[in-house]
Amino acid sequence: MKFIIAAMALATSSLALAYHCPNEMKAIDAKLATNPTLSAADMGKVKDLRAEGEKLHKAGKHDESLKALDSAKKLLGI
């Protein structure tokens, strides 16, 4: 019984992370649409991290996706 509860909790948390990734990508996209003042190098990093986050999300690697997206958000100041 404990195993079933633990498995259900894990599955639920994975789904929560899966739905969180698109919101993070939307926040990054919204900030990029405002043409933030960043160096060309930082803008390239943000775009690369955003793309990597989406790729990892699509691959089901939500923890890794969120790490990449969080890094992009930090560079953008959000």
Side-chain angles (χ1 to χ4, degrees):
M1 184 65 164
K2 288 181 182 179
F3 176 74
I4 293 171
I5 293 170
M8 288 176 60
L10 181 61
T12 303
S13 67
S14 293
L15 288 174
L17 288 176
Y19 291 116
H20 191 61
C21 298
N23 290 334
E24 298 298 308
M25 288 184 271
K26 286 179 187 175
I28 292 166
D29 293 343
K31 184 68 174 183
L32 288 173
T34 68
N35 295 316
T37 305
L38 293 175
S39 68
D42 282 346
M43 183 62 80
K45 287 179 191 175
V46 168
K47 290 179 180 182
D48 288 345
L49 288 163
R50 167 44 177 99
E52 182 70 11
E54 184 171 3
K55 177 182 163 189
L56 291 165
H57 169 72
K58 288 179 179 181
K61 298 178 180 180
H62 303 291
D63 286 332
E64 294 173 45
S65 172
L66 288 174
K67 286 179 185 175
L69 296 171
D70 283 342
S71 294
K73 286 176 64 178
K74 284 179 184 172
L75 286 169
L76 287 168
I78 53 174

